[in-house]
């Protein structure tokens, strides 16, 4: 069951739909779009290799520098100059297809070119909803947001939707991982904030999934996001995260976050040259730490308002940068992550338009994972409960397009056309009666009633309808089935590690 | 100048942008997307020909039936059975590229596959805005809406945005044409509501443009929209309009408006078979009336809510039908019209999402003309001033994508990458300074300020900002330059024809 229907049922008590469409395994149906000619993509790739070789990248982590040195890089203080043959070796050893494991096989996500997975917005310090207003994020917010994420098949992985600011930093990683594991059976996320936190997370996931250490390392059971510090820096926890995730066989999604005109050149071509160089440097480190380690090429490049320096999302430049990233990802053959988003302050027409426009950039770029695809406001400073719901409508419609539409002779329906006379209607035609219950996508939040009916029912806008939907989900949420002994063991682990002092983040 | 900037200036008094992007001549940069395999498109085309040949189409107009008969059709009462060779002859004689003439060459619109033109929503009985609420449309509303349409280069043709219900039907065609001609230099629209009204319109346009009768007939100076009465009927005024427009060399955009499950089969394939058959029948009539007459293949197919029968827009089925229409248009080689739209009752997230989702169907289908691309609410019962503005943001961003993005060595910016150290910023780099004023699209209604600034300024949402923009346009509107003698002659014509009793619509 898609929880879209669950939300709708909570609101309207309508009967469940007979329609079944698989939103869990999506293959991108959109023709890939190019922004630059192939020879310019090659020039951009070459320029990125030149950046790494000639200009180098600053690596703050001594162990990472050692790995680069052993791999043949030239080290000059903290600067690492990476030769193109090292990059080529890393691209050759990085896997082209990676199965990420959920709690059950039906929640596995395969990352490879041509597949498509969505995540709601991540990393927001604030949460907002119409019932309770905008506030600093809490662990209770995170719990609800994971429940919402769990309830929609079109969201494939759990991201850190909001920062649980009410939990101290040395314990937050455990509190958030506990929520992910107990409220969802989807692929969980771990922060890279130093080895102690990462090892806590690995242990929690390994034991909760009932795995031996070898079984855990043999497949990818969780993921992290590695942001470089643009331009041209990899900091301590990011380098350590790359090494730890690689050596434990877990997925690192490497995402330089570059804003054109700010921490990247003002041109799409220049920003993508920098982004590509940084991603290649991080992929190389991952493969030096463990050849064959699961790694996802990533990009998140948009522009700033050149009057104020404010970041912007869902712009033509953001769209074009996504297309270039897709061309580069196909050039290197790796699964890759892209991102939508919005800079709007509330979930209004600007927010909807920017988020969907950015999404189409990702779709036409052939992104494997699209993050911030639902709920992101203020350029990521706030996650909106209502916006998750209204954006989910678009993601579900995209998933419907993935399912394809039949065009058999029976669909062409010459019999129905014979049956209905000129200016008649097809409501009662046999062809219609056989299909009407399953033919069309049923909207999650869309209201197609006419103005009179809609007014009589209180003239409720999409945002307020969305409030009813997420509340219905949260109020009636049932976590996926899980072993109570493992839940108890998870809580024991957290209690013990808390008593030991937890694990402060490293920087 | 793009009036996006005019609107922005009215609001903020910001200096005009140095950025110049041509929004007037758009070529579609998106890779065409297929919904069905080529052999199934061929099967659908063949099924449509069978519909016309075996089932026939009901034609209420005796003169039209005569034309079909003379062309070789079999006539059975009001039913016209059209052989495939007649359709093939019509497709061979219909022009593949048509230059529609504006008041000035810079406003010409070339309709052919690969080009792209946008129109705001058309045919709405109601208008709405946040300042004055929802009301039956008036000629004053139409005047303002044409002024808004005129002010944005990304809107290429003037449609009948709203019905001027305060003007009686026998005079309305003249009042609306006067507004189109005096408030805009873009390609105007005429209703097909019987020969007397059409001839009034032709005469007004011919004389206002200062043309001889031969000059008028030699090129396409206006257009009409021909909706068939699905299923399988062409009514009196539509048939007469096809004949009149063809014989005067003016453009007929032929658009079966088929809702799957209501006046068309419940399947995309079935609905498109019917839509295609009806369009081919009308194209054939046009070419029988005047071989080589300018004609545009059209489709507007979406689905209904099978619980209520309410029409829906911006759905996955609407999207897919657009893709099929694009495949069929390429099959027959003609310029074609597609449509977006929304069934939402106000300009909320649903409205924005449906309109943009439907738009992407048109874009990936390769539509030559996309109508209802801005402002359409309630499935066309209301045009929203604010929604025109917020939808224009998306259309302008699409137009920016048409302009392409350079990727020269200077754009790749190795010099800038050398200039800025690790973790530095590019705000002051020479590469940035040389480009920052022109590099990025500046939003029309988007507000990228942070939450604090935005709250201090009154927490104004996109809709209320849009009110400020359209009011600025309407309050400061200056019509394009025109000969005052022609304006006087236009008004004299209307006065004379009014005294003569006007022209009641025919049905």
């Amino acid at each position: 069951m898609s929880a879209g229907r669950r939300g709708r049922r909570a609101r309207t008590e309508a009967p469940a739909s007979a329609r079944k469409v698989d939103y869990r395994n999506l293959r991108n149906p959109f023709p890939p779009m190019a922004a630059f000619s192939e020879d310019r993509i090659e020039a951009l790739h070459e320029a990125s290799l030149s950046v790494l070789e000639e200009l180098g990248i600053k690596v703050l982590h001594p162990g990472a520098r050692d790995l680069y040195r052993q791999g043949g890089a030239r080290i000059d203080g903290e600067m690492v100059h990476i030769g193109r043959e090292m990059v080529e070796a890393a691209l050759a050893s990085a896997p082209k297809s990676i199965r990420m494991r959920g709690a059950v096989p039906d929640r596995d996500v395969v990352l490879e070119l041509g597949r498509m997975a969505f995540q709601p917005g991540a990393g927001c310090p604030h949460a907002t909803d119409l019932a309770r207003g905008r506030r600093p994020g809490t662990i209770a917010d995170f719990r609800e947001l994971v429940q919402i994420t769990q309830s929609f098949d079109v969201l494939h992985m759990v991201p850190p939707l909001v920062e649980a600011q009410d939990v101290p930093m040395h314990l937050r990683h455990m509190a958030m991982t506990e929520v992910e594991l107990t409220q969802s059976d989807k692929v969980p996320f771990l922060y890279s904030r130093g080895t102690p936190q990462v090892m806590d997370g690995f242990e929690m996931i390994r034991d909760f999934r009932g795995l031996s250490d070898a079984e855990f390392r043999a497949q990818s059971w969780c993921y992290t996001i590695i942001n470089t510090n643009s331009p041209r820096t990899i900091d301590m926890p990011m380098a350590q995260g790359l090494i730890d995730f690689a050596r434990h066989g877990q997925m690192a999604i490497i995402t330089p976050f570059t804003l054109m005109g700010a921490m990247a050149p003002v041109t799409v071509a220049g920003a993508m040259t920098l982004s590509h160089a940084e991603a290649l440097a991080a992929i190389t480190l991952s493969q030096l730490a463990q050849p064959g380690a699961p790694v996802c090429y990533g990009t998140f490049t948009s522009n700033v308002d050149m009057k104020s320096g404010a970041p912007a999302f869902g712009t033509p430049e953001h769209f074009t940068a996504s297309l270039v990233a897709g061309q580069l990802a196909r050039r290197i053959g790796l699964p890759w992550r892209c991102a939508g988003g919005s800079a709007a302050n509330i979930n209004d027409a600007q927010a909807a338009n920017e988020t969907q426009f950015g999404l189409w950039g990702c779709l036409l770029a052939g992104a494997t994972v699209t993050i911030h695809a639902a709920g992101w406001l203020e350029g990521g400073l706030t996650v909106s409960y209502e916006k998750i719901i209204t954006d989910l409508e678009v993601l579900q419609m995209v998933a419907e397009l993935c399912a394809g539409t039949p065009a058999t002779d029976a669909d062409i329906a010459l019999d129905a056309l014979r049956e209905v006379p000129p200016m008649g209607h097809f409501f009662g035609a046999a062809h219609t009666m056989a299909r009407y219950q399953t033919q069309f996508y049923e909207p999650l939040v869309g209201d197609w009633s006419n103005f009179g009916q809609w007014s009589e029912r209180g003239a409720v806008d999409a945002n307020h309808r969305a409030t009813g939907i997420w509340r219905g989900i949260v109020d009636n949420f049932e976590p996926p089935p899980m072993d109570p002994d493992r839940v108890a063991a998870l809580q024991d682990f957290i209690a013990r590690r808390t008593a030991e002092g937890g694990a402060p983040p490293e920087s």
Side-chain angles (χ1 to χ4, degrees), chain A:
Chain A
M1 188 191 71
S2 134
R5 266 148 231 144
R6 181 187 301 178
R8 188 177 174 82
R9 202 158 58 238
R11 180 165 54 105
T12 64
E13 302 301 325
S17 170
R19 181 176 168 84
K20 303 282 179 210
V21 176
D22 178 14
Y23 291 174
R24 297 193 185 197
N25 297 287
L26 305 182
R27 288 178 188 276
N28 188 322
F30 306 103
M33 181 170 170
F36 297 160
S37 61
E38 281 305 310
D39 66 305
R40 296 317 297 168
I41 289 292
E42 206 55 36
L44 198 158
H45 180 68
E46 282 298 311
S48 296
L49 295 176
S50 296
V51 166
L52 293 178
E53 198 156 34
E54 295 167 25
L55 305 184
I57 187 159
K58 187 172 188 169
V59 178
L60 303 183
H61 189 289
R65 291 199 299 272
D66 284 346
L67 282 171
Y68 280 120
R69 182 186 293 110
Q70 290 158 21
R74 177 168 64 86
I75 312 294
D76 180 8
E78 291 181 321
M79 293 304 294
V80 176
H81 298 262
I82 304 169
R84 58 193 61 209
E85 71 293 340
M86 288 176 65
V87 174
E88 274 155 29
L91 293 178
S93 70
K96 305 295 181 279
S97 177
I98 302 148
R99 176 174 293 271
M100 302 212 60
R101 301 297 312 273
V104 290
D106 198 30
R107 291 296 194 192
D108 289 358
V109 178
V110 176
L111 299 188
E112 63 188 17
L113 290 175
R115 302 264 195 166
M116 203 157 69
F118 296 115
Q119 295 183 15
C124 302
H126 296 88
T128 193
D129 63 69
L130 292 183
R132 297 168 296 193
R134 182 178 183 273
R135 69 276 183 183
T138 66
I139 193 72
D141 291 328
F142 183 61
R143 185 181 175 91
E144 291 176 348
L145 291 164
V146 171
Q147 291 172 345
I148 296 168
T149 302
Q150 170 66 13
S151 300
F152 291 91
D153 280 353
V154 82
L155 299 175
H156 300 93
M157 301 162 76
V158 181
L161 293 109
V162 75
E163 275 289 330
Q165 297 196 55
D166 56 337
V167 181
M169 283 291 274
H170 67 291
L171 304 176
R172 191 180 300 169
H173 64 292
M174 292 189 288
M176 290 180 72
T177 302
E178 181 193 11
V179 167
E180 292 185 277
L181 292 174
T182 61
Q183 304 302 309
S184 176
D185 56 7
K186 299 185 182 183
V187 178
F189 168 90
L190 294 182
Y191 280 112
S192 283
R193 288 176 174 167
T195 297
Q197 288 201 356
V198 168
M199 293 305 145
D200 281 344
F202 285 170
E203 192 169 339
M204 291 169 79
I205 294 168
R206 183 197 66 197
D207 293 350
F208 195 77
R209 295 285 190 249
L211 303 169
S212 70
D213 204 56
E215 287 167 336
F216 179 75
R217 287 167 186 259
Q219 287 191 285
S220 205
W221 297 89
C222 61
Y223 72 103
T224 193
I225 304 248
I226 299 294
N227 291 135
T228 51
N229 297 76
S230 302
R232 291 195 287 124
T233 305
I234 299 178
D235 68 19
M236 292 289 289
M238 293 290 108
Q240 188 65 54
L242 277 170
I243 295 167
D244 290 338
F245 272 73
R247 289 186 172 158
H248 289 78
Q250 304 306 304
M251 168 68 89
I253 300 182
I254 292 163
T255 310
F257 175 35
T258 47
L259 289 170
M260 303 168 220
M263 64 279 238
V266 74
T267 51
V268 170
M272 288 309 302
T273 298
L274 176 64
S275 172
H276 190 58
E278 293 178 359
L280 292 177
I283 290 168
T284 301
L285 176 57
S286 164
Q287 299 302 307
L288 289 169
Q290 180 64 54
V295 67
C296 188
Y297 176 76
T299 183
F300 189 13
T301 295
S302 191
N303 57 304
V304 297
D305 177 357
M306 291 309 292
K307 294 195 194 75
S308 66
F313 300 95
T315 63
E317 294 77 21
H318 180 181
F319 189 107
T320 305
S322 297
L323 296 185
V324 176
Q327 294 186 270
L328 291 165
R330 291 190 291 279
R331 166 68 178 77
I332 64 176
L334 294 191
W336 71 289
R337 161 231 146 112
C338 199
S342 166
N345 286 293
I346 49 168
N347 190 26
D348 58 1
Q350 176 188 347
N353 278 334
E354 287 179 348
T355 299
Q356 190 177 153
F357 199 81
L359 174 68
W360 281 103
C362 299
L363 298 176
L364 293 176
T368 318
V369 178
T370 297
I371 193 166
H372 311 320
W376 229 51
L377 285 177
E378 300 176 39
L381 294 180
T382 293
V383 59
S384 157
Y385 283 58
E386 284 81 20
K387 186 165 171 57
I388 290 178
I389 302 297
T390 56
D391 289 340
L392 271 164
E393 187 90 275
V394 179
L395 298 179
Q396 293 194 159
M397 293 200 294
V398 168
E400 292 282 331
L401 297 178
C402 296
T405 301
T408 65
D409 287 350
D411 296 302
I412 287 176
L414 270 178
D415 284 351
L417 290 167
R418 286 193 184 98
E419 181 182 344
V420 178
M423 293 188 74
H425 66 76
F426 289 76
F427 285 117
H431 184 263
T432 307
M433 296 306 287
R435 289 169 177 79
Y436 78 96
Q437 286 183 301
T438 56
Q439 197 64 27
F440 302 140
Y441 170 70
E442 292 174 51
L444 167 65
V445 68
D447 182 334
W448 297 337
S449 58
N450 67 36
F451 191 80
Q453 294 165 333
W454 176 79
S455 299
E456 279 168 26
R457 291 176 194 153
V460 183
D461 72 4
N463 275 343
H464 286 84
R465 295 197 301 273
T467 304
I469 293 169
W470 70 253
R471 278 193 154 173
I473 291 169
V474 167
D475 290 348
N476 302 301
F477 185 76
E478 289 173 25
M482 58 192 67
D483 181 342
D485 290 346
R486 286 192 193 150
V487 176
L490 184 73
Q491 288 162 350
D492 287 348
F493 174 88
I494 294 172
R496 175 172 64 78
R497 291 286 296 128
T498 301
E500 290 169 4
E506 299 189 337
S507 63

